[in-house]
Every structure is written in C-alpha cells, then in structure tokens.
Amino acid sequence: MESLMWNNKNWLQEDQEFSPKRRVDNKISWQRPHIIGSFHSRKMKRTVEYHSLNECLFYYFLEVDVSTLYYYVQPIEVPIPCKTKKLEGEFWLHVPDVLVFRNGCPPLLYQIKEAPDDPSKTFQQCNEFCEKFAAHKGWNYDVIYPKILPQTVLNNIQMLQGHLRERRLYPSIRKDVMFKMMMNGPVSIEELSCSFPSYSSADIKPFLYHLIATGEVETNMNIVISQHTVIELNVATTAHPLNELYQIAFGNRI
C-alpha cells in the first residue's frame, strides 16, 4: 500500500472514482426541514452535499481536522444480494456516506447514523457487505455517530467552519501575527487582537479564529471558543486537539 501519509498525490483518480453516486433530493424535505443541503468545502474546493444534520456536522469536523486531507461523499456503490427466492442471484446497490483520507491511516469508509439504536436486518446486512468491501480494498469501515461529541465541541466546529474562508486582509497581517505569537507564547484572543496599533481588534479577531480553524494555532476545543480563548502556535499537526477527539469519537488513531 502506498504511504499512509498520502504524500505527492494529485487526487485526480480519486476525484473521478469517488464522485457522488447519488444526489441529495428534497422529496421528503417537508418531513425533515433544515437537514438536507450543501456547503462549499474549502478542503475539497467543491460543493459538498449532505442528507442529515449528522452528516453536515461530521463534514464540518473534517473541514477543520488538520489530519484529514480529502473526503468523498456518497463515494461508492456496494452490491447487496437480495435474499428472497424470487430475486435470488440479484443485487441492489447501497451507497455508504463518506470515504475519508487522513494522514497515517488507511482510507476510512463510514456510515453516519443518528444514534446506536437496535439496527434493522437491512442495516446489519449493509454493514456486513460494506465491511467486506472495505477489507477487500484495504480500507477500514465503521458506523459513526457524530452527535456523541460534546455539544461544546460541535458548537466550536460549526463556528470555526464559518471562519475557514481566506479574507483579503489576512496575507498582509499574517507575518506580524505569527511573529508575535512565536515571541509571546500562549495568549488570549482578546489580548493579542488589541496589540496591533495599525489594525483594529475587529480586523485581527477573525484572523485568529481562521488560524484555529485551519490548524495553525491550537486551543482547548472542549471550552467555548470566544475572545477569552487562549491560543498558541501549533508546532505539530499530529498533536492537534481534534486528533484526540477524532480517536475518541470515530475510533481511528494516527
């Protein structure tokens, strides 16, 4: 298997092979308002669609997870054999939710669910064949429940996702901000944002949230991120706080 650091990949083959196998539809959106939609992915540089709030939350997590390089929604079709005698020998196609590429891990195929309720026979059958499909490809497969993450973490991830976009001002202030952080060590967002006479605090704060979102600085993700948050330069991406949360919630170590 190629390096699990996924170095020197152009992802063109994966872009084609793992393009979405089904589209988001709104046929029953009147029954499930506000949980079907899409957003522009900074990491994937394209529109990412989701079918549930759980999917949306997990994709937001991947957007701010430093170790996640690429992820593909609705990536493959897994043949599931029909069990009735009338349809013996025929198959129907199941589409798992997402395929994730993280540094240090084999590809990770996930089914995203609301809660670990008693699974139906169809769900068990899908898991069985998804696991076999993943093993054949050299991937890992798991069913995950993003809402098991603490609510504070989920709120922080949603907030940070909104700060991923690079603003026009950021390149001109980056060098000064990073140098001051290197010299001062851990510092609160409020204190740091008020330490640049040439800029207002309102200019600096969004950039600091942006640096947290992109993994360039780190903080305690279990505490509400605000102007009082203490941040410091992130010297090793494998030490980023989201890695530990990923391991706890989704069971994959790097």
Side-chain angles (χ1 to χ4, degrees):
M1 180 180 292
E2 62 188 294
S3 169
L4 294 184
M5 296 304 289
W6 307 109
N7 293 327
N8 303 316
K9 285 187 66 67
N10 60 24
W11 302 99
L12 294 177
Q13 178 181 338
E14 287 79 8
D15 286 349
Q16 182 174 12
E17 182 179 356
F18 303 127
S19 61
K21 300 303 183 289
R22 61 187 173 97
R23 304 290 295 177
V24 169
D25 67 77
N26 288 298
K27 290 180 180 178
I28 59 170
S29 61
W30 61 275
Q31 294 178 338
R32 302 182 300 173
H34 310 305
I35 61 171
I36 295 177
S38 63
F39 66 94
H40 181 77
S41 164
R42 173 182 177 272
K43 189 160 285 187
M44 297 302 296
K45 298 180 176 61
R46 70 193 68 171
T47 297
V48 168
E49 297 181 330
Y50 54 87
H51 288 77
S52 69
L53 178 58
N54 263 307
E55 288 184 22
C56 182
L57 290 173
F58 185 58
Y59 301 156
Y60 282 180
F61 189 107
L62 297 179
E63 287 289 315
V64 299
D65 174 40
V66 174
S67 293
T68 295
L69 301 180
Y70 272 71
Y71 63 97
Y72 296 92
V73 301
Q74 318 293 335
I76 58 170
E77 294 175 319
V78 178
I80 310 294
C82 298
K83 288 196 170 183
T84 63
K85 289 185 178 180
K86 184 177 180 181
L87 298 175
E88 190 172 350
E90 296 188 22
F91 295 82
W92 60 277
L93 297 176
H94 171 68
V95 180
D97 291 318
V98 63
L99 178 64
V100 179
F101 290 84
R102 298 185 85 231
N103 268 337
C105 296
L108 309 165
L109 183 64
Y110 289 123
Q111 194 74 43
I112 301 170
K113 292 297 181 184
E114 178 78 15
D117 301 324
D118 292 333
S120 65
K121 289 184 178 179
T122 299
F123 181 64
Q124 291 175 334
Q125 186 183 21
C126 288
N127 284 339
E128 176 187 350
F129 283 91
C130 283
E131 192 165 1
K132 289 179 180 178
F133 185 98
H136 178 73
K137 300 279 285 185
W139 302 348
N140 289 349
Y141 171 74
D142 208 349
V143 181
I144 59 173
Y145 311 92
K147 285 187 178 179
I148 69 173
L149 285 167
Q151 189 60 49
T152 297
V153 174
L154 294 176
N155 291 342
N156 285 339
I157 288 169
Q158 291 181 77
M159 186 275 281
L160 291 175
Q161 200 276 337
H163 286 279
L164 283 167
R165 183 172 62 87
E166 185 93 13
R167 295 188 181 184
R168 185 176 300 176
L169 177 66
Y170 292 173
S172 62
I173 62 177
R174 173 179 290 274
K175 185 176 179 180
D176 290 342
V177 170
M178 301 301 274
F179 178 77
K180 186 159 287 192
M181 290 192 67
M182 183 177 66
M183 297 301 294
N184 293 346
V187 62
S188 75
I189 289 176
E190 178 68 20
E191 181 182 352
L192 185 58
S193 67
C194 294
S195 64
F196 296 89
S198 301
Y199 300 96
S200 72
S201 173
D203 290 327
I204 302 297
K205 283 180 183 176
F207 180 57
L208 299 180
Y209 294 135
H210 174 76
L211 292 178
I212 299 173
T214 57
E216 295 179 74
V217 304
E218 60 178 275
T219 190
N220 187 343
M221 294 291 291
N222 290 294
I223 300 175
V224 175
I225 295 176
S226 70
Q227 62 183 357
H228 306 297
T229 294
V230 174
I231 59 176
E232 60 182 318
L233 286 178
N234 183 23
V235 295
T237 57
T238 54
H240 193 270
L242 281 181
N243 276 331
E244 182 179 355
L245 290 169
Y246 198 107
Q247 294 162 18
I248 293 171
F250 311 124
N252 291 287
R253 300 185 176 273
I254 68 171

Short mmCIF file of all heavy atoms in Angstrom, two decimals, residues 198-222:
data_model
loop_
_atom_site.label_atom_id
_atom_site.label_comp_id
_atom_site.label_asym_id
_atom_site.label_seq_id
_atom_site.Cartn_x
_atom_site.Cartn_y
_atom_site.Cartn_z
N SER A 198 -1.80 49.33 14.29
CA SER A 198 -2.19 49.66 12.91
C SER A 198 -3.52 49.05 12.50
O SER A 198 -4.06 49.38 11.44
CB SER A 198 -1.10 49.18 11.94
OG SER A 198 0.14 49.80 12.23
N TYR A 199 -4.05 48.14 13.32
CA TYR A 199 -5.29 47.46 12.97
C TYR A 199 -6.24 47.48 14.16
O TYR A 199 -5.83 47.53 15.32
CB TYR A 199 -5.02 46.01 12.57
CG TYR A 199 -4.12 45.86 11.38
CD1 TYR A 199 -2.75 45.64 11.55
CD2 TYR A 199 -4.62 45.97 10.08
CE1 TYR A 199 -1.92 45.50 10.46
CE2 TYR A 199 -3.77 45.84 8.98
CZ TYR A 199 -2.43 45.62 9.18
OH TYR A 199 -1.59 45.48 8.10
N SER A 200 -7.51 47.39 13.86
CA SER A 200 -8.50 47.31 14.94
C SER A 200 -8.62 45.86 15.40
O SER A 200 -8.29 44.92 14.67
CB SER A 200 -9.86 47.81 14.45
OG SER A 200 -10.44 46.88 13.55
N SER A 201 -9.13 45.70 16.59
CA SER A 201 -9.38 44.36 17.13
C SER A 201 -10.33 43.58 16.24
O SER A 201 -10.19 42.36 16.07
CB SER A 201 -9.95 44.48 18.54
OG SER A 201 -10.35 43.24 19.04
N ALA A 202 -11.28 44.27 15.63
CA ALA A 202 -12.26 43.62 14.74
C ALA A 202 -11.60 43.06 13.48
O ALA A 202 -12.16 42.15 12.85
CB ALA A 202 -13.35 44.61 14.36
N ASP A 203 -10.43 43.57 13.10
CA ASP A 203 -9.70 43.02 11.97
C ASP A 203 -8.93 41.76 12.35
O ASP A 203 -8.85 40.81 11.58
CB ASP A 203 -8.70 44.06 11.42
CG ASP A 203 -9.37 45.23 10.74
OD1 ASP A 203 -10.43 45.02 10.12
OD2 ASP A 203 -8.84 46.35 10.83
N ILE A 204 -8.36 41.78 13.55
CA ILE A 204 -7.46 40.70 13.98
C ILE A 204 -8.23 39.46 14.45
O ILE A 204 -7.85 38.33 14.16
CB ILE A 204 -6.51 41.19 15.08
CG1 ILE A 204 -5.69 42.37 14.60
CG2 ILE A 204 -5.58 40.06 15.53
CD1 ILE A 204 -4.76 42.08 13.44
N LYS A 205 -9.33 39.66 15.19
CA LYS A 205 -10.04 38.51 15.78
C LYS A 205 -10.47 37.48 14.74
O LYS A 205 -10.24 36.27 14.93
CB LYS A 205 -11.24 38.99 16.59
CG LYS A 205 -10.87 39.55 17.95
CD LYS A 205 -12.12 40.01 18.71
CE LYS A 205 -11.73 40.63 20.04
NZ LYS A 205 -12.92 41.16 20.76
N PRO A 206 -11.10 37.88 13.62
CA PRO A 206 -11.50 36.87 12.64
C PRO A 206 -10.30 36.07 12.10
O PRO A 206 -10.42 34.88 11.82
CB PRO A 206 -12.16 37.69 11.52
CG PRO A 206 -12.61 38.93 12.20
CD PRO A 206 -11.58 39.22 13.24
N PHE A 207 -9.16 36.74 11.98
CA PHE A 207 -7.97 36.04 11.51
C PHE A 207 -7.51 35.01 12.53
O PHE A 207 -7.08 33.90 12.17
CB PHE A 207 -6.84 37.03 11.23
CG PHE A 207 -5.57 36.38 10.75
CD1 PHE A 207 -5.57 35.59 9.61
CD2 PHE A 207 -4.38 36.56 11.44
CE1 PHE A 207 -4.40 34.98 9.16
CE2 PHE A 207 -3.21 35.96 10.99
CZ PHE A 207 -3.22 35.16 9.85
N LEU A 208 -7.60 35.31 13.80
CA LEU A 208 -7.21 34.36 14.84
C LEU A 208 -8.15 33.15 14.85
O LEU A 208 -7.71 32.01 15.01
CB LEU A 208 -7.19 35.04 16.21
CG LEU A 208 -6.20 36.21 16.34
CD1 LEU A 208 -6.27 36.81 17.74
CD2 LEU A 208 -4.79 35.78 16.00
N TYR A 209 -9.45 33.38 14.66
CA TYR A 209 -10.39 32.26 14.53
C TYR A 209 -10.06 31.44 13.28
O TYR A 209 -10.16 30.21 13.28
CB TYR A 209 -11.83 32.77 14.47
CG TYR A 209 -12.30 33.44 15.74
CD1 TYR A 209 -13.00 34.65 15.70
CD2 TYR A 209 -12.07 32.86 16.98
CE1 TYR A 209 -13.44 35.27 16.86
CE2 TYR A 209 -12.50 33.47 18.15
CZ TYR A 209 -13.18 34.68 18.08
OH TYR A 209 -13.61 35.29 19.24
N HIS A 210 -9.67 32.12 12.22
CA HIS A 210 -9.27 31.45 10.99
C HIS A 210 -8.06 30.54 11.24
O HIS A 210 -8.01 29.41 10.74
CB HIS A 210 -8.95 32.48 9.91
CG HIS A 210 -8.38 31.92 8.65
ND1 HIS A 210 -9.16 31.27 7.71
CD2 HIS A 210 -7.10 31.90 8.17
CE1 HIS A 210 -8.40 30.89 6.70
NE2 HIS A 210 -7.15 31.25 6.96
N LEU A 211 -7.10 31.02 12.01
CA LEU A 211 -5.91 30.23 12.31
C LEU A 211 -6.25 28.99 13.14
O LEU A 211 -5.64 27.93 12.97
CB LEU A 211 -4.88 31.08 13.05
CG LEU A 211 -4.23 32.22 12.25
CD1 LEU A 211 -3.27 33.00 13.14
CD2 LEU A 211 -3.51 31.69 11.02
N ILE A 212 -7.23 29.11 14.04
CA ILE A 212 -7.68 27.93 14.79
C ILE A 212 -8.34 26.95 13.83
O ILE A 212 -8.07 25.74 13.86
CB ILE A 212 -8.67 28.33 15.90
CG1 ILE A 212 -8.03 29.26 16.91
CG2 ILE A 212 -9.19 27.07 16.62
CD1 ILE A 212 -9.01 29.82 17.94
N ALA A 213 -9.20 27.46 12.96
CA ALA A 213 -9.94 26.60 12.03
C ALA A 213 -9.02 25.85 11.08
O ALA A 213 -9.31 24.71 10.69
CB ALA A 213 -10.95 27.44 11.24
N THR A 214 -7.92 26.47 10.67
CA THR A 214 -7.00 25.83 9.73
C THR A 214 -5.91 25.04 10.42
O THR A 214 -5.06 24.44 9.76
CB THR A 214 -6.34 26.88 8.81
OG1 THR A 214 -5.67 27.85 9.62
CG2 THR A 214 -7.38 27.57 7.94
N GLY A 215 -5.91 25.03 11.76
CA GLY A 215 -4.97 24.21 12.50
C GLY A 215 -3.62 24.83 12.72
O GLY A 215 -2.70 24.16 13.22
N GLU A 216 -3.44 26.10 12.38
CA GLU A 216 -2.14 26.74 12.55
C GLU A 216 -1.88 27.15 13.99
O GLU A 216 -0.73 27.30 14.41
CB GLU A 216 -2.02 27.94 11.62
CG GLU A 216 -2.03 27.57 10.14
CD GLU A 216 -1.93 28.78 9.25
OE1 GLU A 216 -0.84 29.35 9.14
OE2 GLU A 216 -2.98 29.15 8.66
N VAL A 217 -2.93 27.38 14.73
CA VAL A 217 -2.81 27.59 16.18
C VAL A 217 -3.76 26.62 16.86
O VAL A 217 -4.69 26.10 16.25
CB VAL A 217 -3.12 29.05 16.59
CG1 VAL A 217 -2.25 30.02 15.84
CG2 VAL A 217 -4.59 29.37 16.39
N GLU A 218 -3.50 26.36 18.12
CA GLU A 218 -4.33 25.39 18.83
C GLU A 218 -4.90 25.97 20.11
O GLU A 218 -4.39 26.96 20.65
CB GLU A 218 -3.54 24.12 19.13
CG GLU A 218 -2.31 24.32 20.00
CD GLU A 218 -1.63 23.00 20.28
OE1 GLU A 218 -2.04 22.30 21.23
OE2 GLU A 218 -0.68 22.66 19.54
N THR A 219 -5.97 25.33 20.55
CA THR A 219 -6.62 25.72 21.80
C THR A 219 -7.40 24.52 22.32
O THR A 219 -7.48 23.49 21.65
CB THR A 219 -7.55 26.93 21.58
OG1 THR A 219 -7.97 27.42 22.85
CG2 THR A 219 -8.78 26.54 20.74
N ASN A 220 -7.98 24.64 23.48
CA ASN A 220 -8.79 23.58 24.06
C ASN A 220 -10.17 23.59 23.42
O ASN A 220 -10.97 24.50 23.66
CB ASN A 220 -8.90 23.77 25.58
CG ASN A 220 -9.58 22.61 26.27
OD1 ASN A 220 -10.25 21.79 25.64
ND2 ASN A 220 -9.41 22.53 27.57
N MET A 221 -10.47 22.58 22.60
CA MET A 221 -11.73 22.53 21.88
C MET A 221 -12.90 22.16 22.78
O MET A 221 -14.05 22.24 22.37
CB MET A 221 -11.64 21.52 20.73
CG MET A 221 -10.67 21.92 19.63
SD MET A 221 -11.25 23.34 18.68
CE MET A 221 -12.65 22.62 17.82
N ASN A 222 -12.63 21.75 24.01
CA ASN A 222 -13.70 21.40 24.94
C ASN A 222 -14.23 22.60 25.70
O ASN A 222 -15.13 22.47 26.52
CB ASN A 222 -13.21 20.34 25.93
CG ASN A 222 -13.00 18.99 25.26
OD1 ASN A 222 -13.95 18.36 24.82
ND2 ASN A 222 -11.74 18.57 25.17
#
